[in-house]
Amino acid sequence: NAMAEIKVKAGGRIMVDGEFGRGINGSKGFEPSSSAQETDFDSQLDRARLNLSGTVSPDWGFKIEYDFASGSASAKDIYLAYKGFKPASVLIGNFKEPFGLEELTSSKYMTFMDRTIVNGQFAPSRNVGAALHTGGSNYSATVGMFGKGTSKGQDPKYSVAGRVTFAPIATKTTAVHLGAAVNYIDVHSSSLYTSSGAITTGDTNNKEPAGYHIGNPNFVDLDKSTIGGLEAAAVFGPASIQGEYMKAFNDYLDPTHNSDPSGWYVQASFFPTGESRNYVANKGAFGRIKTSGNAVELAARYGVLKLDQAGQDDVKQTTLGANWYATSHLRFMANYEMLDYGNNTGVPESDDNFFMARAQVDW
Amino acid sequence: NAMAEIKVKAGGRIMVDGEFGRGINGSKGFEPSSSAQETDFDSQLDRARLNLSGTVSPDWGFKIEYDFASGSASAKDIYLAYKGFKPASVLIGNFKEPFGLEELTSSKYMTFMDRTIVNGQFAPSRNVGAALHTGGSNYSATVGMFGKGTSKGQDPKYSVAGRVTFAPIATKTTAVHLGAAVNYIDVHSSSLYTSSGAITTGDTNNKEPAGYHIGNPNFVDLDKSTIGGLEAAAVFGPASIQGEYMKAFNDYLDPTHNSDPSGWYVQASFFPTGESRNYVANKGAFGRIKTSGNAVELAARYGVLKLDQAGQDDVKQTTLGANWYATSHLRFMANYEMLDYGNNTGVPESDDNFFMARAQVDW
Amino acid sequence: NAMAEIKVKAGGRIMVDGEFGRGINGSKGFEPSSSAQETDFDSQLDRARLNLSGTVSPDWGFKIEYDFASGSASAKDIYLAYKGFKPASVLIGNFKEPFGLEELTSSKYMTFMDRTIVNGQFAPSRNVGAALHTGGSNYSATVGMFGKGTSKGQDPKYSVAGRVTFAPIATKTTAVHLGAAVNYIDVHSSSLYTSSGAITTGDTNNKEPAGYHIGNPNFVDLDKSTIGGLEAAAVFGPASIQGEYMKAFNDYLDPTHNSDPSGWYVQASFFPTGESRNYVANKGAFGRIKTSGNAVELAARYGVLKLDQAGQDDVKQTTLGANWYATSHLRFMANYEMLDYGNNTGVPESDDNFFMARAQVDW
């Protein structure tokens, strides 16, 4: 009967962070904005989530996940899923718009403790909408339409996003990934801007330089934005490389305003213990590292965010990382991050260097 | 042993809404109050809940459910239940006061996407208290006492509520329901009023015309209120009708103030696919639609809220609805709603018409 | 395989309180601060929690628990645990600093409805950090380091805490407990003070006299604090006694400031029905009462908080309690509490007497 078909599974993740560093802004919320120049140690819960997922019939599934680390309920994946015409599926609810290899790789499986500033500026992450997804052994394709913002009381417009990925090689230990995505956002509403004139971007965990979002603080009249993204990655046994390029083509209400920011990053990782990053071709993203225990990963990345406005320097991000996977579900991470803000308006200092460590479990 | 008796079940519900319409107020939070006259599309999570329920001994059970759709934790059913002297049971905690057929029918099983404005004005919904309930194959009776408000820091008084229902006919596909309830509220505290002078009513999901609650905005000195409710419903195979009448008898601190608002609604529904609404006699409410899949329901309702104050017109609500039950636990709903606010103080426009759709799953 | 090792259990607790009394302050949030002198009845959810706990490998476990009773997400035990070198274990995350017999005894097993004002002033409760714990049949030892505060945006320093306990006798019905703990807090930051100049203490459920915390309201410049605690308890069949002494040695930024508050309490309990309090030696704390049902416990306690500042009287707390354990997981509690604030600055009345009752379930 109907009840017999219902299956429910309880999951979640915990990420406990410690940080030591000298920051110019409230990076990760470790520092309050008033103590801008302090060198300090701190600890915090970065992510602490509960979820239920399951199926209510052979064709219909669901997932609901919240992150409560901030003290309020931050909606993560909350959706109904129809899987009746395989390999295609339909999602309805709150989930990630199809944009960005780094964004679409779960924080459980990210190589570094945080996504790049480039991803934070351009990838829309989760919104309430509907999407059609399909994928196979060497490709994935997703298209969706989304309202902007999950909270009641907002006045959002909408966005349309599409992404295709292709993997000429996709075995357990070898993969080549190519991807392209586009995201059209009808903004036209000051309520979508933050107080600094920036669009609310997806990854609030990201160490973004405050005030340097798509909507430049000097231009608070963003009307429409079309964001394009190109992705490439390769896995050869224990080694992997990955890179993305993203650019926003912005229309401002004031026709004299003109700023089309862009950014890119490249990263490389290597497992001295022999494991491989786990490419999931039908999603076009990376999944859980398969290990019997004690896997070690070393990684480095470099990214640049081009603000495309007179008098504003590029922002550069360099990260070194080392991960120890005690099991497939429990890992420790250490990152050293250097942010170079250049000579930009309103930024009191040009560098932000800090060391971070994380203990992470998911189930 | 004791541990062996503990049974726990994880449940929840997700309702994802889309809306298109022209509203005069912040109906359902889709529109910010400042953009009162906009015609707009939006999407949101209307309800997204997690619960645990179970038993800790043969006689004692519990349930705890929160809705996090708003970004904070909204307490739903959170109680201890004693079932040791059947058919009676005792509930202690946060749960619905016994008042209102529409209110006591779960949002999972409501015919329309939202309860009527009449229910929203008069039914108290959940508060922290204790109740004694009993019921059988053709009746139910509940009496309880409640403090007002679950949040710490409030200064509530209390209410006493009682409800009896009788079902001269109650089979799987045929039912006649009669019910009466009374709710006495000792208010006497400005902290129970909202800024508009209204009592906080239960169904915040309801599209209530802001400012027209029991405590009339012109009379912010409500002292005591006795609210009565009469219910009737009938199910004849695929067809059903339902109606309620509610009236508040208000005492104001200023003896010259006098306003006893009232309201009523009627609704009808029909399953062209042959299913029946599921009347649960020992609760005096409707339960889950039993279907092997692909049930279709058509419905209409009309309600009137009488403000009973000089210069204020009645508020009228007309709703048309169609539901598709993909399974017993997953349905899609579409509603067209017309709200006629009449010529009332502070309301900038007399109509509010919108189309809404919902995808809903529960487990 | 790895997935097969994952075990997850869903738990939680509900505490529903009613209170009647005359309070001078917002004790337990029952009274808003503006209605300071009211005698009133109220009901509320005092604790309402969900948790998941389990293991992801033979050596690694986790727990995540939130309390949502206040409407926001209050982080409780959220940690990773390593149990690979028994009997020692390592905890990383948000959990209670090792300090205080009463604090480290779960609210599920407390003898009274709330911990003492002494505990509330000195015990740090939970913070984000790491600790090493070990214990055996007659001892426990824990040491840890913690940042202060789990919320993002705070600017905490850190604390180091250590606790050892010894039980010369520890059988199922007889136990003698001795314990000592020390907690060094580097405060040096006004953001850790509340508006009244007080350190945020752990048990927000405690009926603390507002404004009389470690950081005296007249001295808002606390720099460093070293807090010591001594514990003793004994169980002889159905009878038990317990007491603690705590003292803070404070350094203020202004060297002319000097206040080293201290406090102590003693309590006794007796089960006329013959059960015993359940001492858990390897944790140095009390655990679940083992009963086949219908256990009754009578208890009394007295505590004094010495503010150690000119012109401020001691605060005295007297509590009488009776508990009925319907099962090991479901109990009802009744407390009568008398708080004597003495003649202290800013306190409008010298007494606070109230009767409270609780229905509690955990699973």
Side-chain angles (χ1 to χ4, degrees), chain B residues 96-107 110 115-116 118-126 140 142 161-165 177-183 227-233 242-247 265 277 279 283-286:
Chain B
K96 287 179 179 174
E97 298 193 30
F99 191 95
L101 173 58
E102 192 183 29
E103 181 62 39
L104 295 170
T105 295
S106 166
S107 65
M110 295 191 304
R115 298 183 178 91
T116 58
V118 178
N119 180 87
Q121 299 300 95
F122 299 104
S125 195
R126 291 182 184 82
S140 78
T142 315
R163 178 174 181 259
V164 291
T165 69
H177 163 92
L178 300 171
V182 65
N183 194 334
I227 307 175
L230 297 174
E231 317 162 7
Q242 176 180 325
E244 293 186 80
Y245 173 77
M246 299 178 187
K247 182 175 174 73
Y265 74 87
R277 289 187 77 198
Y279 181 70
K283 294 184 177 175
F286 287 95

Side-chain angles (χ1 to χ4, degrees), chain A residues 6 62 66 73 128 152-156, chain B residues 29-30 32 40 42-43 48 68 71:
Chain A
I6 295 184
F62 66 88
Y66 281 99
V128 175
K152 297 183 179 186
Q154 285 189 303
D155 178 23
Chain B
F30 278 116
D40 210 348
D42 198 18
S43 57
F68 300 106

